[in-house]
Amino acid sequence: MWAAVPLLLLLLLLLLLPLARLCRRGAARLEPAGRAVLITGCDSGFGHLLALRLHRLGFTVFAGCLCPGGDGARRLQREAGGAGRLRVLRLDVTRARDVRAAKELVLSHLPERGFWGLVNNAGISTFGETGWLPMETYEKFADVNLLGSIRTTLAFLPLLRKYKGRIVFMSSIIAYFTLGNGIYSMTKAAIEKFCDALRLEMKKFGVQVCIIQPGNYARSTKIQPPLSAEEIWSELSEEEKAVYNKEYVQERADFFNSILSEGSPNGSEVVDAMVDALTSPAPKARYMVAKLKEKALVFVCALFPTVVMDSVLSYALSK
């Protein structure tokens, strides 16, 4: 009989958790006025949309842009109505001096309620089988998608602990599986594990850590432009060209570009999740914003043996 006690306690806990969450969600939402949020990767895509949304809600927004003089940054300032509570700053997350300068700017312009949120949104993506990409590309992706988020988080952690704020990370359902973009999948899987460790460690300080996991929103962002077979072929080493022919590369390019074309154009769905992570009295640890078939793939990956997932993905690639 006693052997069944742990199982019963687990079932009871699973039943009570949703009730506890409902009670907490009944509490008043956060008051944005006088609170600052820093967002990386605001030149376009989700970061751009989120900066405008948070500005409209009343937050003081520090919008990190790779090109602060570029079209995206200028449009952001124009759409926000000029200066005031939205400041555009140069922020290349791979450069420690940019991160330090961003922190100094935030500290010198903190509103009365302090620093509330850090949104690690900046990221890059590309397509290519493992041997097609040079080591320099792997290093660049790790620096932007993984180390860039860690670099920024470490810099702002003292402020977040002081004000018991929120940290939001942009991940992807691609953290669970890959369909021709293993390099992107690799970095997202790594950032998920970094977040899992950070979330547990920050609980004692009252800092909450949330992960956003979008599905295919390629049409909502500029993170992954279509690639032609000729572009891919021209970048292959001679060793890879000896293994793969142009017809195969064309097939893979057509397959990947077709996936991109099916992406949702409604980026506001992802931004809704990011806003909830920053303002809800009971934010989720993970927000999966994806189509039903994408969620099904994640379900299969998480619960079924690897051989099943390999069969599913191999079938998809063969088509």
Side-chain angles (χ1 to χ4, degrees):
M1 182 184 74
W2 292 109
V5 171
L7 180 60
L8 291 172
L9 288 174
L10 178 60
L11 290 172
L12 181 62
L13 180 62
L14 291 174
L15 288 171
L16 291 177
L17 276 176
L19 293 175
R21 181 175 290 277
L22 283 173
C23 292
R24 291 176 65 193
R25 283 187 177 275
R29 295 183 76 82
L30 180 82
E31 173 53 53
R35 300 182 194 270
V37 176
L38 172 70
I39 311 165
T40 67
C42 292
D43 300 79
S44 63
F46 300 135
H48 189 102
L49 294 173
L50 179 65
L52 291 173
R53 178 83 69 85
L54 294 183
H55 177 258
R56 286 196 296 269
L57 288 174
F59 283 99
T60 296
V61 179
F62 295 89
C65 292
L66 186 61
C67 302
D71 292 340
R74 289 200 301 270
R75 190 173 70 254
L76 187 59
Q77 289 176 312
R78 186 169 62 251
E79 292 169 338
R85 286 183 293 98
L86 190 146
R87 292 175 179 272
V88 171
L89 62 145
R90 173 179 173 79
L91 183 51
D92 179 345
V93 296
T94 68
R95 295 159 61 99
R97 66 182 182 183
D98 274 18
V99 176
R100 286 196 299 269
K103 185 177 180 181
E104 290 170 7
L105 180 68
V106 169
L107 283 170
S108 63
H109 294 89
L110 268 184
E112 59 271 21
R113 289 180 174 172
F115 189 70
W116 175 250
L118 170 64
V119 181
N120 287 299
N121 168 74
I124 54 176
S125 180
T126 193
F127 159 73
E129 298 198 2
T130 303
W132 295 3
L133 306 170
M135 189 62 204
E136 292 79 13
T137 302
Y138 282 95
E139 291 171 346
K140 180 180 179 180
F141 269 69
D143 204 11
V144 175
N145 293 357
L146 175 60
L147 299 180
S149 292
I150 296 173
R151 188 177 289 114
T152 309
T153 298
L154 293 179
F156 284 89
L157 214 49
L159 274 177
L160 290 159
R161 286 195 294 248
K162 178 179 178 180
Y163 292 104
K164 301 184 186 302
R166 306 272 173 93
I167 316 175
V168 180
F169 290 84
M170 182 59 69
S171 181
S172 170
I173 63 167
I174 291 297
Y176 295 95
F177 59 87
T178 179
L179 277 172
N181 54 349
I183 188 170
Y184 184 66
S185 178
M186 169 194 77
T187 59
K188 292 307 181 182
I191 203 65
E192 291 252 351
K193 290 307 159 190
F194 173 74
C195 291
D196 285 344
L198 185 67
R199 184 177 61 256
L200 293 174
E201 294 164 4
M202 289 298 105
K203 282 183 180 297
K204 57 181 172 286
F205 300 107
V207 177
Q208 301 198 61
V209 179
C210 304
I211 303 172
I212 311 297
Q213 300 172 316
N216 183 0
Y217 281 85
R219 292 167 61 198
S220 304
T221 73
K222 295 182 179 179
I223 191 172
Q224 177 60 74
L227 285 174
S228 70
E230 196 57 43
E231 287 178 282
I232 299 169
W233 183 260
S234 65
E235 295 295 323
L236 294 185
S237 67
E238 292 305 316
E239 290 89 345
E240 293 301 306
K241 287 179 178 177
V243 176
Y244 298 97
N245 56 40
K246 282 189 176 182
E247 288 74 17
Y248 180 82
V249 173
Q250 183 68 62
E251 288 175 1
R252 292 283 74 104
D254 290 345
F255 170 78
F256 194 68
N257 289 334
S258 70
I259 291 178
L260 297 180
S261 69
E262 295 171 0
S264 172
N266 189 9
S268 62
E269 295 170 345
V270 178
V271 174
D272 289 343
M274 299 164 85
V275 171
D276 192 79
L278 288 166
T279 62
S280 171
K284 301 176 185 177
R286 282 176 167 82
Y287 291 81
M288 185 174 293
V289 190
K291 298 174 184 176
L292 182 60
K293 66 178 182 180
E294 293 169 331
K295 291 180 178 180
L297 271 177
V298 172
F299 177 81
V300 172
C301 184
L303 297 182
F304 285 76
T306 301
V307 65
V308 175
M309 192 62 185
D310 285 353
S311 297
V312 171
L313 295 179
S314 294
Y315 176 78
L317 286 167
S318 71
K319 296 298 180 182

